[in-house]
Amino acid sequence: EGHADAEGHADAEGHADAESESESDEHCKSSTSQLDSIITVKPNVRTYSTVIDAYSRTSTLEAAEAAQALLERLRILHESTGDDELKPNVISYNSVITAWAKTASVLGAKMAVAMLDVMEEEDMVDVISYNAVIHAWARCGSKESGERAEDILKRMKHRAKTCGDVEVEVPLELGSNNGGNGNGNGNDGNGNG
């Protein structure tokens, strides 16, 4: 293989010298600078939510932490700029809850609950939010999982009654593990449950 000598000149095989590479770099920087003034693409809540969703598709603690960090960055950007295109939405939060749920850990379940708390305070919660937190408890394997999942179900039912903005759906995990008839709705089939 050919290499440049100590002064950066090309060897016999024609490698560019350092001076030519520098000129090329400057040309690229100039072109990029010109493009920056023409193309004005900026990230928004959809962009951030897509990346958060990508993290939520794995099951590692690191991915959940990264998803949480991106949501926090988005919240700070929205607060500092006032730009509504950067305001986190229910999809952003639900993706972070899902990321925590997929860790199948008690920490993940607790972090999912913390996200749900914030969502309730901001009136941004939906049935997916509650179901994802119930799922987090179902997956974590804690002795308290059933009780904690049922607490979330009660919160969802209370919210549905008081605010009317949540439809109550019971995840199959809860319906089949709580002594119900396995139909996923936790009742005996006669509306009792």
Side-chain angles (χ1 to χ4, degrees):
E1 269 182 49
H3 297 284
D5 62 18
E7 295 176 6
H9 296 100
D11 62 9
E13 293 188 16
H15 284 77
D17 62 22
E19 193 172 308
S20 295
E21 288 177 14
S22 177
E23 289 173 9
S24 177
D25 288 345
E26 289 302 316
H27 177 72
C28 286
K29 287 178 185 174
S30 174
S31 297
T32 301
S33 183
Q34 290 172 355
L35 282 176
D36 287 345
S37 66
I38 297 170
I39 301 173
T40 55
V41 177
K42 69 175 188 163
N44 59 21
V45 66
R46 180 177 285 178
T47 311
Y48 277 88
S49 294
T50 301
V51 177
I52 292 169
D53 181 62
Y55 279 118
S56 77
R57 294 178 185 270
T58 66
S59 58
T60 67
L61 185 60
E62 294 79 11
E65 290 170 342
Q68 179 83 39
L70 275 175
L71 178 62
E72 292 304 315
R73 184 184 311 163
L74 184 60
R75 288 176 62 176
I76 290 167
L77 281 171
H78 175 255
E79 289 171 9
S80 66
T81 65
D83 185 348
D84 283 340
E85 289 187 19
L86 294 171
K87 184 177 183 180
N89 60 24
V90 69
I91 295 168
S92 312
Y93 282 96
N94 284 344
S95 293
V96 172
I97 290 175
T98 299
W100 283 116
K102 287 188 177 180
T103 67
S105 66
V106 173
L107 173 63
K110 288 179 178 180
M111 293 300 291
V113 170
M115 286 280 86
L116 184 66
D117 293 342
V118 170
M119 293 176 76
E120 286 177 333
E121 288 172 17
E122 296 182 9
D123 289 324
M124 195 181 300
V125 68
D126 66 6
V127 69
I128 295 168
S129 313
Y130 289 102
N131 286 344
V133 175
I134 290 169
H135 186 71
W137 281 114
R139 292 190 67 176
C140 80
S142 167
K143 293 176 188 176
E144 302 173 344
S145 291
E147 185 179 318
R148 299 288 183 168
E150 191 171 355
D151 289 345
I152 300 301
L153 177 61
K154 288 176 184 175
R155 281 173 64 172
M156 180 169 53
K157 286 180 176 181
H158 178 75
R159 175 100 183 177
K161 286 180 184 177
T162 59
C163 299
D165 60 350
V166 176
E167 294 179 24
V168 177
E169 293 180 16
V170 180
L172 290 177
E173 294 93 5
L174 188 61
S176 62
N177 290 334
N178 70 356
N181 66 355
N183 66 6
N185 65 12
N187 67 37
D188 63 7
N190 296 319
N192 301 317

